[in-house]
Amino acid sequence: MTRSLVIKVTSGEDSPERCNQAFTVAAAAVASGVDVSLWLTGESAWFALPGRAEEFELPHAAPLQDLLAGVLAAGRVTVCTQCAARRELTQADLIEGVRIAGAATFVEETLQDGAQALVY
């Protein structure tokens, strides 16, 4: 059975350590060959915009833009539909490769055989 990892990050600059942990785990899993789906919800939705990850700083942490690039290279990145709407973000606003999808898609991914979900 193939294993997959679905990670939902619910924070951004409002909780930088929790946010960075989610991106770090997602990037590490991708680098290990795991099928990864990273969901950006709440304040983390802003990191789907060009240049926003580059503005994030956390001492002793890998640059967020590098972690995001690693996930985008071999995994999936999704912005929650409602979170995007509340921030007036459209698909055209997002970094290439990031999609917008809703709760039904999140549930579908987390209920796949072999899936593990983590929420930060």
Side-chain angles (χ1 to χ4, degrees), residues 27-80:
V30 165
S32 298
V34 176
D35 177 31
V36 173
S37 178
L38 177 63
W39 282 73
L40 307 180
T41 67
E43 288 300 296
S44 69
W46 294 114
F47 296 123
L49 294 175
R52 291 301 284 265
E54 288 81 355
E55 297 172 3
F56 181 89
E57 291 185 20
L58 182 63
H60 310 291
L64 199 68
Q65 70 266 21
D66 294 348
L67 299 172
L68 179 57
V71 176
L72 280 169
R76 290 175 309 287
V77 178
T78 306
V79 175
C80 155

